[in-house]
Amino acid sequence: NLGYIDRDKTKKIISKCKYAITNPENLYSYFFQDCMSYDLKIFFNAIFKKYNIIKSKRLVPIKYNNPIQDFKFIKKNLD
């Protein structure tokens, strides 16, 4: 966690990444959109799966129920 940073710095950091975990409250946040624009593999809240209109293998739903299970699932799905 880097605290509050401006969007330009966020984009610079995102451009160096391969994966992202979005917050569980908002599927289409600016962070999510920026991660999509840099073609990251994104783990998102499975609750929003029915609202996801973007069809991509780069989007992976996670349950956000159990942090240990979620961590194991994410670790298993890393390329």
Side-chain angles (χ1 to χ4, degrees), residues 27-73:
L27 178 60
Y28 296 115
S29 66
Y30 288 125
F31 176 73
F32 175 89
Q33 293 174 36
D34 290 340
C35 291
M36 285 293 296
S37 69
Y38 286 99
D39 201 33
L40 271 60
K41 187 169 194 174
I42 303 170
F43 297 93
F44 70 98
N45 192 342
I47 292 172
F48 295 120
K49 192 174 179 180
K50 61 185 171 185
Y51 302 111
N52 181 18
I53 59 172
I54 301 168
K55 303 302 176 202
S56 172
K57 292 182 180 181
R58 312 269 319 144
L59 299 176
V60 181
I62 58 176
K63 294 183 181 177
Y64 280 95
N65 289 339
N66 182 322
I68 295 170
Q69 278 183 325
D70 293 340
F71 176 76
K72 287 178 182 179
F73 179 80

Side-chain angles (χ1 to χ4, degrees), residues 10-30:
T10 303
K11 286 182 177 183
K12 189 179 283 189
I13 294 167
I14 290 171
S15 71
K16 297 175 184 178
C17 298
K18 294 182 183 180
Y19 311 98
I21 302 172
T22 62
N23 68 13
E25 297 89 20
N26 185 357
L27 178 60
Y28 296 115
S29 66
Y30 288 125

